[in-house]
Amino acid sequence: MALQDRLRPLVDTTGPGPRAVRRVAGLDVAYAEDSDRLAAAVVVLDADTLTVLERSVVLGRARFPYVPGLFAFRELPSLVEALDGLGTAPDLLVCDGQGLAHPRRFGLACHLGVHTGIPSIGVGKTAFVGTFDAPGPARGESSDLVLDGEVVGAVLRTQRDVKPVFVSVGHGLDLAEACRHVLALSPRFRLPETTRQADGACRAALAAAAAEARTTG
DNA sequence: GCGACAG
DNA sequence: ATCTTGTCGC
């Protein structure tokens, strides 16, 4: 927690934002049911066509338990390894989890953004902190996610009549721009294409590793 | 003190 | 996160 408090001042919550977003990366981690095995994936998509440009997946093992508020210490190490395996650095990171919508305003998206220096966004499937009103039913509508009287994120409807996602700034851009990107990345499904691709990649890798281990014995 | 709690 | 069982809709 002290480390998060120390790094928190390094977060840029306004930024000019990434100049030109060409390569957008989705990051996610999958865990083995039993054992501490995990697979971390970073999938880079063309921001315009949303087609996959590159994938980087690493197998590893959980070295930190899941503790609400300290989530980055569990997933960040493996995600950084996967990022290092990329041929070209992405222009934007879309993380599975929260950014500023965190008890100390330093969720996984902030941590990854500060660590890499790459603009980042946090997209959570459920709320972690804060209060909010339900956003309107239309795609694109949103409401403020408030914590201690401060707007720490947005509850954004990416598909009509579908449960909204929780968007918060990670690093290097503002909330409005973050929501704009998330919406552009979610033309058809609730979750951004980046998140969906990363989720599929790490799960596939974990399954492949299990099958290989099974064959090998 | 008790319950909640990203993934 | 992961599992389970069933339902709804394209």
Side-chain angles (χ1 to χ4, degrees), chain A residues 108-133:
Chain A
L108 173 66
C110 297
H111 208 143
L112 271 169
V114 167
H115 184 90
T116 64
I118 301 173
S120 64
I121 301 172
V123 180
K125 295 179 283 296
T126 62
F128 177 31
V129 293
T131 58
F132 60 93
D133 290 320

Short mmCIF file of all heavy atoms in Angstrom, two decimals, chain A residues 108-133:
data_model
loop_
_atom_site.label_atom_id
_atom_site.label_comp_id
_atom_site.label_asym_id
_atom_site.label_seq_id
_atom_site.Cartn_x
_atom_site.Cartn_y
_atom_site.Cartn_z
N LEU A 108 -4.64 -1.41 -11.08
CA LEU A 108 -3.77 -2.07 -12.06
C LEU A 108 -3.47 -1.22 -13.29
O LEU A 108 -2.32 -1.14 -13.74
CB LEU A 108 -4.40 -3.40 -12.51
CG LEU A 108 -3.70 -4.14 -13.65
CD1 LEU A 108 -2.33 -4.62 -13.21
CD2 LEU A 108 -4.54 -5.32 -14.11
N ALA A 109 -4.49 -0.57 -13.85
CA ALA A 109 -4.28 0.24 -15.05
C ALA A 109 -3.32 1.40 -14.80
O ALA A 109 -2.49 1.72 -15.66
CB ALA A 109 -5.62 0.77 -15.56
N CYS A 110 -3.40 2.02 -13.63
CA CYS A 110 -2.48 3.11 -13.29
C CYS A 110 -1.07 2.56 -13.15
O CYS A 110 -0.09 3.12 -13.64
CB CYS A 110 -2.89 3.77 -11.98
SG CYS A 110 -4.51 4.55 -12.01
N HIS A 111 -0.97 1.46 -12.44
CA HIS A 111 0.34 0.84 -12.18
C HIS A 111 1.03 0.46 -13.48
O HIS A 111 2.21 0.74 -13.69
CB HIS A 111 0.15 -0.38 -11.28
CG HIS A 111 1.34 -0.69 -10.43
ND1 HIS A 111 1.25 -1.16 -9.13
CD2 HIS A 111 2.67 -0.60 -10.71
CE1 HIS A 111 2.47 -1.35 -8.64
NE2 HIS A 111 3.35 -1.01 -9.58
N LEU A 112 0.28 -0.14 -14.39
CA LEU A 112 0.85 -0.53 -15.68
C LEU A 112 1.22 0.69 -16.51
O LEU A 112 2.24 0.70 -17.20
CB LEU A 112 -0.15 -1.41 -16.45
CG LEU A 112 -0.08 -2.91 -16.18
CD1 LEU A 112 -1.28 -3.62 -16.77
CD2 LEU A 112 1.21 -3.47 -16.75
N GLY A 113 0.38 1.71 -16.44
CA GLY A 113 0.64 2.93 -17.20
C GLY A 113 1.90 3.62 -16.72
O GLY A 113 2.75 4.02 -17.52
N VAL A 114 2.03 3.77 -15.41
CA VAL A 114 3.20 4.43 -14.84
C VAL A 114 4.47 3.60 -15.10
O VAL A 114 5.52 4.14 -15.46
CB VAL A 114 3.04 4.64 -13.32
CG1 VAL A 114 4.36 5.04 -12.68
CG2 VAL A 114 1.99 5.71 -13.06
N HIS A 115 4.33 2.31 -14.95
CA HIS A 115 5.48 1.41 -15.15
C HIS A 115 6.01 1.42 -16.58
O HIS A 115 7.21 1.43 -16.81
CB HIS A 115 5.10 -0.01 -14.75
CG HIS A 115 6.23 -1.00 -14.83
ND1 HIS A 115 7.06 -1.26 -13.76
CD2 HIS A 115 6.68 -1.74 -15.86
CE1 HIS A 115 7.97 -2.14 -14.14
NE2 HIS A 115 7.76 -2.45 -15.41
N THR A 116 5.09 1.42 -17.54
CA THR A 116 5.49 1.37 -18.96
C THR A 116 5.59 2.75 -19.62
O THR A 116 6.25 2.90 -20.64
CB THR A 116 4.49 0.56 -19.77
OG1 THR A 116 3.21 1.22 -19.74
CG2 THR A 116 4.32 -0.85 -19.20
N GLY A 117 4.91 3.73 -19.04
CA GLY A 117 4.92 5.05 -19.64
C GLY A 117 3.94 5.14 -20.80
O GLY A 117 3.86 6.14 -21.50
N ILE A 118 3.18 4.08 -21.01
CA ILE A 118 2.20 4.03 -22.09
C ILE A 118 0.81 4.41 -21.55
O ILE A 118 0.40 3.94 -20.49
CB ILE A 118 2.13 2.60 -22.68
CG1 ILE A 118 3.50 2.19 -23.22
CG2 ILE A 118 1.07 2.53 -23.79
CD1 ILE A 118 3.58 0.73 -23.66
N PRO A 119 0.08 5.25 -22.29
CA PRO A 119 -1.27 5.63 -21.84
C PRO A 119 -2.08 4.35 -21.60
O PRO A 119 -2.00 3.40 -22.36
CB PRO A 119 -1.81 6.44 -23.03
CG PRO A 119 -0.57 7.10 -23.57
CD PRO A 119 0.44 5.98 -23.52
N SER A 120 -2.87 4.37 -20.53
CA SER A 120 -3.65 3.17 -20.22
C SER A 120 -5.05 3.47 -19.69
O SER A 120 -5.32 4.54 -19.16
CB SER A 120 -2.90 2.33 -19.18
OG SER A 120 -2.78 3.05 -17.97
N ILE A 121 -5.92 2.47 -19.88
CA ILE A 121 -7.31 2.57 -19.45
C ILE A 121 -7.68 1.33 -18.66
O ILE A 121 -7.23 0.23 -18.96
CB ILE A 121 -8.26 2.63 -20.68
CG1 ILE A 121 -7.93 3.83 -21.56
CG2 ILE A 121 -9.71 2.69 -20.24
CD1 ILE A 121 -8.68 3.83 -22.88
N GLY A 122 -8.51 1.49 -17.64
CA GLY A 122 -8.96 0.35 -16.86
C GLY A 122 -10.42 0.10 -17.24
O GLY A 122 -11.23 1.02 -17.24
N VAL A 123 -10.75 -1.14 -17.55
CA VAL A 123 -12.13 -1.51 -17.88
C VAL A 123 -12.50 -2.71 -17.01
O VAL A 123 -12.02 -3.81 -17.23
CB VAL A 123 -12.29 -1.90 -19.37
CG1 VAL A 123 -13.73 -2.28 -19.65
CG2 VAL A 123 -11.86 -0.75 -20.26
N GLY A 124 -13.35 -2.44 -16.02
CA GLY A 124 -13.76 -3.51 -15.14
C GLY A 124 -15.16 -4.01 -15.46
O GLY A 124 -15.99 -3.25 -15.94
N LYS A 125 -15.39 -5.28 -15.21
CA LYS A 125 -16.70 -5.88 -15.47
C LYS A 125 -17.66 -5.61 -14.32
O LYS A 125 -18.88 -5.63 -14.48
CB LYS A 125 -16.55 -7.39 -15.70
CG LYS A 125 -15.77 -7.72 -16.95
CD LYS A 125 -15.61 -9.21 -17.16
CE LYS A 125 -14.53 -9.81 -16.26
NZ LYS A 125 -13.19 -9.27 -16.55
N THR A 126 -17.12 -5.35 -13.16
CA THR A 126 -17.95 -5.06 -11.98
C THR A 126 -17.30 -3.89 -11.23
O THR A 126 -16.13 -3.58 -11.45
CB THR A 126 -18.02 -6.27 -11.01
OG1 THR A 126 -16.70 -6.56 -10.54
CG2 THR A 126 -18.59 -7.49 -11.72
N ALA A 127 -18.07 -3.26 -10.36
CA ALA A 127 -17.54 -2.12 -9.62
C ALA A 127 -16.66 -2.61 -8.47
O ALA A 127 -16.83 -3.72 -7.98
CB ALA A 127 -18.70 -1.30 -9.07
N PHE A 128 -15.74 -1.78 -8.10
CA PHE A 128 -14.83 -2.15 -7.00
C PHE A 128 -15.07 -1.15 -5.88
O PHE A 128 -15.28 -1.54 -4.72
CB PHE A 128 -13.39 -2.07 -7.49
CG PHE A 128 -12.36 -2.35 -6.43
CD1 PHE A 128 -12.63 -3.23 -5.38
CD2 PHE A 128 -11.11 -1.75 -6.49
CE1 PHE A 128 -11.67 -3.49 -4.41
CE2 PHE A 128 -10.15 -2.01 -5.51
CZ PHE A 128 -10.43 -2.88 -4.48
N VAL A 129 -15.05 0.12 -6.21
CA VAL A 129 -15.29 1.18 -5.23
C VAL A 129 -16.19 2.24 -5.87
O VAL A 129 -16.36 2.28 -7.08
CB VAL A 129 -13.96 1.87 -4.80
CG1 VAL A 129 -13.09 0.92 -4.03
CG2 VAL A 129 -13.24 2.43 -6.03
N GLY A 130 -16.77 3.08 -5.05
CA GLY A 130 -17.57 4.18 -5.56
C GLY A 130 -19.06 3.92 -5.64
O GLY A 130 -19.50 2.78 -5.53
N THR A 131 -19.81 5.01 -5.80
CA THR A 131 -21.26 4.91 -5.93
C THR A 131 -21.64 5.46 -7.29
O THR A 131 -20.92 6.27 -7.88
CB THR A 131 -21.97 5.74 -4.84
OG1 THR A 131 -21.55 7.10 -4.95
CG2 THR A 131 -21.63 5.21 -3.45
N PHE A 132 -22.78 5.04 -7.78
CA PHE A 132 -23.21 5.48 -9.11
C PHE A 132 -24.68 5.22 -9.36
O PHE A 132 -25.30 4.39 -8.70
CB PHE A 132 -22.38 4.76 -10.18
CG PHE A 132 -22.54 3.25 -10.13
CD1 PHE A 132 -23.48 2.61 -10.91
CD2 PHE A 132 -21.74 2.48 -9.28
CE1 PHE A 132 -23.64 1.22 -10.86
CE2 PHE A 132 -21.89 1.09 -9.22
CZ PHE A 132 -22.84 0.46 -10.01
N ASP A 133 -25.21 5.95 -10.35
CA ASP A 133 -26.60 5.76 -10.75
C ASP A 133 -26.49 4.95 -12.04
O ASP A 133 -25.48 5.05 -12.74
CB ASP A 133 -27.28 7.09 -11.04
CG ASP A 133 -27.49 7.91 -9.77
OD1 ASP A 133 -27.85 7.30 -8.74
OD2 ASP A 133 -27.27 9.13 -9.81
#
